[in-house]
């Protein structure tokens, strides 16, 4: 057998596979992210493609030829998907927006960028646009949901406050321990 075996894959076959997969790895927040960059004109905004739940960089293969040469196109695998390592912490909207910002910085693409979010990643690119408006040239949502009111409605906030008071009262009186 050629090379050392680990998890049923020889090291030589692993190297060959890496040659077949385009892109490179960029470390962001301690996690190696697989990123594929198709270079475009330096004066055009970069276009960052973010995949939905379970998606990977190659899900944008049909779109890339339509935009090739017009902008720098960035596709990446979110942590734990595609070729990227899993993240040490669970995802949050702020964390995913920061991940995109850090990827742009690591790739030396100063922005502003156009962000394209599919499905779940629509929330990620929307959070990026809200958190980093100076880095956002535009947002495209593909089969995504949006939250036009980023602040919960008053009725929701009132219910949360009410239940927090009930929880505080249960804790102070010991009632929660009695029934729980």
């Amino acid at each position: 057998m050629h090379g050392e075996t680990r998890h049923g894959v020889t090291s030589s076959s692993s190297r060959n596979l890496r040659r077949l997969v385009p892109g490179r790895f960029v470390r962001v927040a301690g996690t190696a992210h697989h990123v594929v960059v198709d270079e475009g004109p330096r004066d055009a905004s970069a276009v960052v493609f973010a995949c939905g739940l379970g998606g990977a960089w190659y899900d944008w293969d049909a779109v890339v030829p339509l935009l090739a040469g017009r902008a720098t196109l960035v596709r990446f695998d979110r942590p734990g998907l595609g070729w990227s390592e899993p993240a040490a912490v669970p995802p949050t909207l702020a964390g995913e927006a920061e991940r995109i910002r850090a990827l742009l910085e690591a790739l030396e693409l100063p922005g502003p960028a156009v962000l394209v979010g599919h499905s779940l990643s629509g929330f990620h690119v929307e959070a990026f646009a809200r958190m980093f408006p100076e880095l956002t040239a535009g947002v495209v949502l593909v089969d995504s949901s949006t939250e036009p009111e980023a602040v919960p409605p008053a009725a929701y906030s009132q219910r949360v406050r009410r239940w927090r008071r009930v929880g505080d009262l249960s804790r102070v009186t010991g009632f929660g321990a009695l029934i729980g």
Side-chain angles (χ1 to χ4, degrees):
M1 197 175 262
H2 297 49
E4 200 175 299
T5 300
R6 184 174 183 195
H7 304 296
V9 178
T10 64
S11 58
S12 62
S13 66
S14 178
R15 278 192 300 276
N16 290 336
L17 187 57
R18 270 187 248 134
R19 276 189 232 128
L20 296 174
V21 176
R24 61 184 173 167
F25 288 91
V26 176
R27 192 160 293 279
V28 171
T31 301
H33 290 71
H34 174 243
V35 181
V36 178
V37 178
D38 296 288
E39 297 292 334
R42 297 293 291 164
D43 60 337
S45 293
V47 178
V48 179
F49 296 96
C51 292
L53 189 62
W57 65 274
Y58 54 80
D59 290 330
W60 297 103
D61 279 354
V63 177
V64 168
L66 301 173
L67 299 174
R70 296 178 187 205
T72 296
L73 309 175
V74 178
R75 299 174 281 163
F76 68 100
D77 292 328
R78 289 184 23 244
L81 300 172
W83 291 92
S84 292
E85 292 178 337
V89 296
T92 63
L93 285 180
E96 293 301 312
E98 174 57 28
R99 179 181 323 286
I100 295 168
R101 189 209 58 75
L103 277 171
L104 287 170
E105 182 179 296
L107 295 170
E108 298 178 353
L109 297 170
V114 175
L115 296 122
V116 182
H118 171 249
S119 190
L120 175 68
S121 283
F123 288 114
H124 303 163
V125 300
E126 182 184 2
F128 179 92
R130 290 177 191 270
M131 290 174 61
F132 306 107
E134 71 283 2
L135 298 177
T136 306
V139 172
V140 178
L141 302 176
V142 180
D143 196 21
S144 182
S145 298
T146 61
E147 185 57 53
E149 300 297 323
V151 179
Y156 173 81
S157 297
Q158 290 169 354
R159 283 194 308 273
V160 169
R161 278 195 298 276
R162 189 175 320 128
W163 282 108
R164 283 188 178 147
R165 278 183 278 185
V166 168
D168 290 342
L169 184 60
S170 296
R171 194 172 35 260
V172 170
T173 63
F175 184 68
L178 180 67
I179 63 169

